[in-house]
Amino acid sequence: MTNRLCYVCEGGDCTEKGSGDVFDKLRDLIKQSDPNQERIKIRRYPCFGACDQGINVTLYPDKIFYSKVTEADLPEIAAHIEGKGEPVKRLTGKCQPDVEQIIWDMLDSPY
Ligand code: FES
């Protein structure tokens, strides 16, 4: 199974929309299959710069940028992260490609 790094935005706009709860619930869902986050790391991220499209959640190395995420979407997102489902396509492609690229460039960088 692919090791994955998942960021949940904790910037002001996303926090106002409930990203704190999204982070907690996603982490709890993933804990069921990877209790110590050995394969799947769930982390907070300061702000992706796509605040109007929040709540934003990214997956690496998949390079999937989910936008407008709600708690209702989390079981599907978790299933994909755990290798048991497909990416949740309806939540992708909502923000500018150059905004997405900034985070992928940073994560691809060896430094
Ligand atoms: S507050 Fe989440 S992208 Fe800026």
Side-chain angles (χ1 to χ4, degrees):
M1 186 188 295
T2 312
N3 286 355
R4 289 191 159 101
L5 170 62
C6 176
Y7 280 128
V8 177
C9 182
E10 64 169 3
D13 285 355
C14 287
T15 295
E16 261 181 39
K17 292 170 192 161
S19 69
D21 287 343
V22 161
F23 176 87
D24 290 344
K25 293 210 163 110
L26 186 57
R27 185 193 52 197
D28 290 349
L29 284 169
I30 297 298
K31 258 190 197 162
Q32 293 167 22
S33 67
D34 186 13
N36 299 317
Q37 294 200 26
E38 288 166 8
R39 289 177 291 101
I40 302 161
K41 302 203 182 320
I42 312 284
R43 299 283 183 265
R44 295 181 171 91
Y45 194 81
C47 175
F48 293 108
C51 315
D52 289 349
Q53 304 300 324
I55 297 168
N56 294 303
V57 175
T58 62
L59 276 187
Y60 187 84
D62 312 70
K63 299 188 178 178
I64 293 174
F65 198 113
Y66 289 135
S67 302
K68 303 219 176 257
V69 173
T70 68
E71 290 185 33
D73 300 312
L74 296 179
E76 278 175 277
I77 291 174
H80 169 246
I81 292 174
E82 293 169 324
K84 292 185 260 173
E86 296 299 313
V88 188
K89 290 237 163 58
R90 67 175 180 279
L91 304 173
T92 63
K94 294 183 189 299
C95 87
Q96 300 288 329
D98 56 334
V99 171
E100 288 193 23
Q101 197 58 45
I102 291 169
I103 183 76
W104 311 141
D105 286 349
M106 188 197 78
L107 292 169
D108 282 340
S109 163
Y111 298 104

